[in-house]
Amino acid sequence: LAQNPSWYAKICVYNLHSGPVIMRRADSDTTLLGLDIPKGTNTIINVASMNMRDDLYDNPNEFDITNTSGKNKVFNPFGRGKKSCLGKDLAMVEMTASLKEIVTNYDISCEEQLENVDLAWDIAMQPQQDTTFYIQRKKYMYIIGAHCVGKTTLLNYFVNQQPRQVHHIKEVARNLLSKSKINKKDLQDDDVFFSFQQQLFERQNICEKERMHRSFVSDRCCLDPLVYTREKSEEKYNLFCEKNKAQLEQIKDRYRKQNTHLVIIKPNPNIVKDDGVRLNADIEHMNQVHECYTDTLEELGIEYDIIHAEPLEERYSIICDIWNNY
């Protein structure tokens, strides 16, 4: 779905258009599979039954829209021949476009585990009990800023306080350091430092793109490596931007969308805590990174908010207002 919403929408519409029956009337005497059918006989083709036959489909009772094992033999949601649905081509265009728009721009969730919902056939398959679905426009929030300002702490607190699950991205840098076996001392070497920023940029970008099919909150964004590279060397920053020009254009477009919000936590000496992993919790250096961050965002034309509040509860209240007002 995330990689190819058009394909997903088309195959989903085509598969789910399988009504329980197709009804026809014989316009002449005929024989079918050894059975004589007089003219005028009303016939019912049991589409639902055909689509649930285990001798034609692999695992027919499992929901799998890509299961086409028996399709060439029995799958006829629009009928066939001269009496097939006249509006099927228009219906496919309309439903594919509509479903693509929905799944691309909205989160859809359900209070119930869908496998626990009892279904019954009528004109179409319907749930037997009331089932609540939530449809909400997708939104993305990035909690960003200098190191040691409490980004991950705030993200964790926010996620744990929400009444429904909020998907999130966190600790990408920490996990990459661990995987690469790079420590704080290693990052003092310029070659290691700049190489790590490139790796972090690529990894963060992959994490975000993989999760764009649903709303999320992240404790950093793809611009972090740019900012730290720029704060250390303007020349390296320019080379970084040139090397990643195509990706940066896509990222800028992503961060400029109306459903995306970047929130910078301003360094505060009263809550600075050295995490012992990346860089020292030096408030002067953190302020330099903060200024470099705001300068870079403004040059790229990306809007942002700044959190000045100190207590965690106040910070939480601010990002809740941002999240809930989308």
Side-chain angles (χ1 to χ4, degrees):
L1 172 58
Q3 300 299 323
N4 197 339
S6 295
W7 174 86
Y8 179 95
K10 184 173 182 178
I11 195 170
C12 191
V13 166
Y14 194 72
N15 283 5
L16 296 184
H17 184 74
S18 180
V21 296
I22 296 176
M23 293 177 284
R24 295 288 185 266
R25 175 177 293 178
D27 58 6
S28 63
D29 295 338
T30 188
T31 300
L32 181 64
L33 299 177
L35 179 65
D36 292 331
I37 303 176
K39 178 181 178 180
T41 301
N42 291 323
T43 63
I44 297 176
I45 303 170
N46 193 336
V47 177
S49 177
M50 289 193 298
N51 289 339
M52 303 297 286
R53 286 176 56 175
D54 56 14
D55 61 329
L56 297 174
Y57 285 92
D58 298 329
N59 305 315
N61 293 311
E62 294 184 9
F63 178 76
D64 179 7
I65 62 171
T66 65
N67 186 355
T68 60
S69 55
K71 187 164 296 184
N72 291 333
K73 296 181 181 179
V74 299
F75 192 74
N76 299 294
F78 292 99
R80 282 191 180 182
K82 294 185 293 184
K83 296 294 185 179
S84 63
C85 177
L86 293 175
K88 65 180 180 181
D89 293 332
L90 176 60
M92 284 297 298
V93 171
E94 290 180 335
M95 290 189 290
T96 300
S98 299
L99 186 55
K100 178 186 175 183
E101 180 71 15
I102 293 171
V103 299
T104 301
N105 296 295
Y106 292 86
D107 284 326
I108 303 174
S109 58
C110 179
E111 283 186 339
E112 306 285 342
Q113 292 291 327
L114 291 182
E115 57 266 27
N116 297 329
V117 176
D118 295 326
L119 300 174
W121 281 105
D122 194 344
I123 298 301
M125 187 178 285
Q126 299 179 4
Q128 291 290 83
Q129 65 265 37
D130 291 339
T131 305
T132 302
F133 286 87
Y134 297 96
I135 302 178
Q136 187 176 43
R137 179 170 285 278
K138 290 177 183 176
K139 49 192 175 181
Y140 311 97
M141 182 165 62
Y142 298 86
I143 303 172
I144 59 177
H147 52 287
C148 305
V149 295
K151 301 186 294 292
T152 304
T153 300
L154 179 56
L155 180 146
N156 288 336
Y157 189 82
F158 172 78
V159 169
N160 292 334
Q161 296 295 318
Q162 299 309 299
R164 294 196 298 275
Q165 181 183 16
V166 175
H167 298 284
H168 56 279
I169 304 171
K170 68 175 184 178
E171 302 285 17
V172 174
R174 186 185 294 267
N175 292 334
L176 183 58
L177 284 170
S178 176
K179 183 178 180 180
S180 305
K181 298 182 179 180
I182 298 174
N183 56 38
K184 181 187 293 189
K185 185 177 180 180
D186 296 329
L187 290 173
Q188 295 175 6
D189 181 284
D190 284 352
D191 290 339
V192 175
F193 179 86
F194 292 124
S195 175
F196 174 73
Q197 299 306 326
Q198 177 64 42
Q199 294 177 56
L200 180 56
F201 173 81
E202 294 170 358
R203 184 59 199 154
Q204 180 70 27
N205 193 28
I206 290 172
C207 288
E208 292 179 18
K209 290 196 294 185
E210 288 178 343
R211 292 164 174 79
M212 293 304 293
H213 61 285
R214 59 189 179 190
S215 300
F216 66 74
V217 182
S218 177
D219 66 355
R220 69 175 54 252
C221 73
C222 292
L223 301 182
D224 281 32
L226 274 75
V227 171
Y228 277 95
T229 298
R230 185 177 194 180
E231 194 274 332
K232 199 172 185 68
S233 168
E234 193 73 27
E235 179 183 358
K236 290 289 187 180
Y237 167 75
N238 291 330
L239 291 173
F240 190 108
C241 292
E242 184 61 30
K243 178 180 179 179
N244 300 286
K245 186 175 180 179
Q247 294 94 318
L248 279 173
E249 288 301 316
Q250 295 176 0
I251 289 167
K252 286 191 290 185
D253 289 341
R254 193 156 76 222
Y255 293 165
R256 288 169 177 165
K257 290 182 178 179
Q258 290 185 343
N259 62 340
T260 302
H261 207 97
L262 277 67
V263 183
I264 303 181
I265 300 180
K266 184 174 177 59
N268 188 318
N270 296 325
I271 57 174
V272 167
K273 183 178 180 180
D274 194 332
D275 61 9
V277 177
R278 292 181 61 194
L279 301 173
N280 293 324
D282 182 319
I283 190 65
E284 183 177 347
H285 180 224
M286 292 166 64
N287 281 325
Q288 291 173 354
V289 173
H290 175 79
E291 292 177 7
C292 187
Y293 222 134
T294 56
D295 289 344
T296 302
L297 288 171
E298 289 172 5
E299 289 175 11
L300 295 176
I302 299 172
E303 296 183 357
Y304 63 91
D305 281 331
I306 299 179
I307 294 182
H308 298 274
E310 180 178 326
L312 180 60
E313 290 75 12
E314 289 188 26
R315 295 181 172 195
Y316 168 72
S317 178
I318 292 171
I319 65 171
C320 272
D321 288 342
I322 293 171
W323 183 256
N324 293 329
N325 286 334
Y326 270 98

